[in-house]
Amino acid sequence: GAGVSQSPRYKVAKRGQDVALRCDPISGHVSLFWYQQALGQGPEFLTYFQNEAQLDKSGLPSDRFFAERPEGSVSTLKIQRTQQEDSAVYLCASSLESVRAQETQYFGPGTRLLVL
Amino acid sequence: AQSVTQPDIHITVSEGASLELRCNYSYGATPYLFWYVQSPGQGLQLLLKYFSGDTLVQGIKGFEAEFKRSQSSFNLRKPSVHWSDAAEYFCAVDPYSSASKIIFGSGTRLSIRP
């Protein structure tokens, strides 16, 4: 079956521009995660959804970052007034259930954001 | 501070040679532990995971990892590497066994010498 998909795969934005990054999780997956991966670093947790509820947004670096999953499937990560330090690969992951920590997170290919 | 440490930034091994990638964590309780691989242009793929039980865990692509509580380590091994194993490898922990977030190390880039 289809895996996690993300769009766009690449995004170039001018500093100050707003961007929206989309994640389509695996169908039926309850949990959805966003991570930010800076160049040469490991992914860093941003936020987590269980269905449409955003249960943890402790990793969002500033109030310019906003994520939503209104119908419990597709999710959008929005970054307002982008800054150069926002340049990174944004990874989305989904997992089947939320209550069992043993559930594997399946990652999408990421969106590479470059802010000029 | 709580962290996941991968001390080797870049490792080069010859094809057919054995491999060990190091990972240490500094969380009080035993977290859930993972190894992921990331190839260029590909998403992160789970190689193996440890939750409890047998401390030697078998994964995909011939990889295994051993959890050593006394050393707070979870090193990844493969007896004979293939050129296709060249990639970035990430150790990760779920520190609260909560399924709500994973903390990743900074990664080890593996190159294969022909």
Side-chain angles (χ1 to χ4, degrees):
Chain A
V4 178
S5 60
Q6 294 185 244
S7 60
R9 291 293 308 277
Y10 302 92
K11 176 68 179 179
V12 179
K14 293 182 179 178
R15 188 163 57 92
Q17 195 175 5
D18 296 349
V19 298
L21 312 180
R22 177 188 170 103
C23 172
D24 287 80
I26 295 172
S27 178
H29 277 198
V30 169
S31 298
L32 185 144
F33 308 81
W34 283 99
Y35 294 84
Q36 179 190 57
Q37 186 175 18
L39 188 64
Q41 299 297 315
E44 292 192 2
F45 171 83
L46 293 178
T47 187
Y48 154 62
F49 290 86
Q50 180 180 322
N51 295 306
E52 69 278 3
Q54 189 174 19
L55 298 187
D56 187 344
K57 53 182 181 179
S58 61
L60 295 176
S62 78
D63 58 8
R64 296 186 295 104
F65 286 71
F66 172 76
E68 60 183 5
R69 193 186 185 198
E71 298 179 355
S73 56
V74 172
S75 176
T76 303
L77 176 66
K78 298 179 179 178
I79 309 174
Q80 297 177 325
R81 305 181 302 282
T82 52
Q83 304 295 315
Q84 286 186 321
E85 61 263 29
D86 300 334
S87 296
V89 176
Y90 291 85
L91 298 169
C92 176
S94 69
S95 66
L96 183 58
E97 295 183 23
S98 60
V99 296
R100 292 178 61 240
Q102 292 89 336
E103 285 297 330
T104 297
Q105 291 189 22
Y106 295 90
F107 283 80
T111 294
R112 185 177 297 276
L113 172 65
L114 177 62
V115 181
L116 302 176
Chain B
Q2 297 181 327
S3 66
V4 180
T5 302
Q6 293 182 248
D8 303 306
I9 296 174
H10 183 206
I11 284 181
T12 300
V13 299
S14 297
E15 190 169 17
S18 63
L19 170 71
E20 183 169 28
L21 302 182
R22 296 183 290 166
C23 174
N24 293 92
Y25 63 92
S26 60
Y27 294 91
T30 299
Y32 293 162
L33 299 160
F34 309 84
W35 275 99
Y36 282 84
V37 61
Q38 187 176 41
S39 299
Q42 303 294 316
L44 284 160
Q45 182 181 23
L46 180 68
L47 287 174
L48 46 77
K49 56 189 176 184
Y50 172 79
F51 297 126
S52 65
D54 192 345
T55 56
L56 185 62
V57 181
Q58 301 297 319
I60 62 171
K61 304 185 179 186
F63 286 92
E64 66 178 26
E66 185 172 13
F67 168 61
K68 293 186 177 180
R69 185 190 305 274
S70 61
Q71 298 177 20
S72 296
S73 70
F74 189 57
N75 293 348
L76 181 72
R77 301 194 293 247
K78 187 169 184 178
S80 176
V81 297
H82 186 262
W83 64 267
S84 60
D85 293 325
E88 189 89 20
Y89 290 81
F90 293 95
C91 179
V93 304
D94 177 347
Y96 311 113
S97 307
S98 64
S100 64
K101 72 173 67 170
I102 292 178
I103 310 300
F104 286 84
S106 56
T108 296
R109 183 161 62 94
L110 174 65
S111 297
I112 306 298
R113 189 183 303 118

